[in-house]
Amino acid sequence: MIPIPQYPLYTATLALLGATPVPYYPDETKGWTLSVNDLRAAVKESKTPVKAICVINPGNPTGQCLSADNIREILEFAREENLAVLADEVYQTNIYVDALEFVSGRSTPPPQCLRYCVCVCV
């Protein structure tokens, strides 16, 4: 699963590997947050088995920062769906809005979700 919009690295990598991207769409009207219901719908509508979810936080190109609660919801969703999590946090120093606070996925997972976070790019 990859967010749309996103940096094209993920789409290109999936194409190179012969994998099928399963897009999900952060909600622009809610500050680009991720709805677990929307993530579930993307899995259900997928015509291919879903193996992993890429979470870009802060988002590129949106600049959103996910809240600790939203990250916990996403990690719990990944655990329930048996998905590996690729947490791309490489843009954490590129926050230019004082009201936004970056929270790392490494600092927020519920204990039962720890084994699903396979990579954090920082």
Side-chain angles (χ1 to χ4, degrees):
M1 298 181 74
I2 56 172
I4 304 296
Q6 49 91 22
Y7 185 74
L9 170 68
Y10 298 105
T11 307
T13 301
L14 292 171
L16 181 67
L17 296 172
T20 302
V22 175
Y24 67 86
Y25 300 87
D27 189 340
E28 182 178 5
T29 65
K30 295 181 180 172
W32 300 100
T33 58
L34 304 183
S35 161
V36 171
N37 289 335
D38 290 347
L39 296 175
R40 287 189 207 295
V43 169
K44 187 175 182 180
E45 294 168 10
S46 174
K47 295 178 177 27
T48 186
V50 179
K51 306 280 186 175
I53 182 170
C54 176
V55 180
I56 304 172
N57 181 42
N60 178 19
T62 66
Q64 105 294 351
C65 289
L66 298 174
S67 70
D69 287 340
N70 199 198
I71 293 169
R72 282 188 206 97
E73 292 169 348
I74 295 161
L75 292 175
E76 182 61 30
F77 158 78
R79 185 190 65 78
E80 291 169 3
E81 295 291 334
N82 199 30
L83 303 177
V85 177
L86 173 64
D88 181 341
E89 299 179 347
V90 73
Y91 301 106
Q92 63 185 279
T93 59
N94 297 359
I95 301 169
Y96 304 107
V97 178
D98 291 336
L100 294 177
E101 177 186 0
F102 169 74
V103 178
S104 174
R106 292 184 297 185
S107 65
T108 58
Q112 68 272 23
C113 297
L114 287 173
R115 71 185 193 116
Y116 294 91
C117 193
V118 296
C119 180
V120 176
C121 305
V122 291

